[in-house]
Amino acid sequence: MAKVTSDQLGTEPIGKLLVRQAVPASIGILVMSLNVLVDSIFVGNWIGSIAIAAINVVLPVSFFIGALGMAIGIGGSSIISRALGADDKEKALQTFGNQITLTLLVTTIMVSLGLFYVDGLIPAFGGKGAIFDPAKIYYIIVVCGVPFLALCMMGNTVIRAEGKPKFAMIAMIIPSIGNLVMDYFFINVFDWGMEGAAWATTIGYVLCFAYVLYFFVSKNSELKVNWGHLGLKSHILKEISSLGFVTLSRQAVVSVIYLLMNNILFDLGGEAMVAVYAIVGRMLMFALFPVFGVTQGFLPIAGYNYGAHKYERVKESIFTAIKYAALMATLVFVGLMVFPAEIASLFLSNKPDMSAFELATNAFVLEHAPSAMRLVFAATPIIALQLIGAAYFQAIGKAVPALLLTLTRQGFFFIPLILILPNYLGEFGVWIAFPISDVLATLVTGFYLRREVKRDLDR
């Protein structure tokens, strides 16, 4: 693999650079998303549709703790990108050292609390009725491995900030492949059920951590921290926290949405309706991988060039990223509108010995999931503007507008809509809330992004 240095972020043509950054990011996100998708298909076929609902209950808790690492990573990586662009390597090293220490401290505390309150958290997130027992089994094992996930997510963003997207891609691929291989043996061969699914996921986190650690101790990384860099510095923590709070707030809102959705849908249709949302949720993680890949590739380019005061390159990177992401989103939209029933059927078991309850659940899911999927993804072609716009403010270190724009779709619009619309429109009200919030958030983001570009970059 050719040696790649961070200064190429400020010299290569933007289109070529964005492709070089976004393609590995997209592949990594694709493999991770496929991991979640195929993992759900395996669980649904080898354990049952209730098992998918159980995993869906656990995801917001484990993802929130893991997202602490991503929040610290993205917050610190924005600093690192701008520091490297300004040729201030010592600040980059101090920031990375503080990220490591902060991730270890925060996730250890959160995991301890998560295990202590396990019996209250699972029902609160919709783990009721037949869902509770399998959800608890999965939760306890997976949450113990979440600190490794947090360190991986933190480290992955730093790798991108160095301008090393191929290594970041490999870090995302390793745990996904490992998880799927172990899923086959632990669930299908050894018949460990939910415990097998949980151990496969947890071991995948550990494999990812091992590779990220290898990257930073090898010659491939420019950031060689020493013990002195691990000591927490208040001014760095403040900047990491203000920028990382954007990501953490977004994930906190996602966790609240899972809590609300699982409970609202359980009241509307029981365990089967939660299973429908579990399938739709997997597609929300999987189908948009190329759009998220462009967004991830855009962040270090915008941050580096802003730090180097190359404002024309920053502006070009914004418009190029929106164009590429919009194209990808449109292709995703077409696929989901044409094949929703075929996608939903992939998650359902066809075992000959299914109980009457399992058969009824499968029939319900097949009836409701396709229409739900079409509604949820109805506004997908326009989301590129909202994602890139919010990411821009985070990349340049403007925490407050980044936070507000990040929360517009899910916090300011979506949550009020799902609390109001189902009271009048039932199940339809839940699903139509998705495209309405997408449209409203895109309009708001477009307005603020246009104003910021004219004021800050047209110099």
Side-chain angles (χ1 to χ4, degrees), residues 69-88:
M70 178 177 283
I72 294 167
I74 291 179
S77 294
S78 174
I79 304 169
I80 291 171
S81 288
R82 285 178 282 121
L84 291 173
D87 200 26
D88 188 354

Side-chain angles (χ1 to χ4, degrees), residues 70-71 74-75 77-79 82 242-248 250 299 303 388-399 401-403 406:
M70 178 177 283
I74 291 179
S77 294
S78 174
I79 304 169
R82 285 178 282 121
S242 64
L243 294 171
F245 187 70
V246 177
T247 299
L248 186 60
R250 179 173 58 238
L299 282 166
I388 299 298
Y392 167 70
F393 287 96
Q394 195 165 8
I396 65 172
K398 295 192 175 183
L403 173 62
T406 296

Side-chain angles (χ1 to χ4, degrees), residues 37-70:
L37 191 71
V38 177
D39 183 58
S40 299
I41 292 171
F42 285 172
V43 168
N45 280 269
W46 295 335
I47 304 177
S49 54
I50 294 301
I52 300 178
I55 293 176
N56 200 57
V57 166
V58 174
L59 277 179
V61 182
S62 61
F63 272 25
F64 177 75
I65 300 173
L68 289 166
M70 178 177 283

Side-chain angles (χ1 to χ4, degrees), residues 248-314:
L248 186 60
S249 298
R250 179 173 58 238
Q251 188 55 46
V253 169
V254 169
S255 295
V256 170
I257 287 171
Y258 269 93
L259 184 153
L260 293 173
M261 288 285 287
N262 284 336
N263 282 283
I264 290 169
L265 291 171
F266 187 89
D267 291 339
L268 287 172
E271 292 93 341
M273 189 65 84
V274 177
V276 171
Y277 178 51
I279 292 173
V280 172
R282 295 304 179 278
M283 294 311 300
L284 282 169
M285 293 180 188
F286 167 73
L288 298 176
F289 77 89
V291 183
F292 295 142
V294 173
T295 305
Q296 288 290 315
F298 163 77
L299 282 166
I301 301 171
Y304 185 99
N305 285 285
Y306 191 87
H309 305 293
K310 298 181 178 181
Y311 298 120
E312 278 301 317
R313 285 178 61 81
V314 176

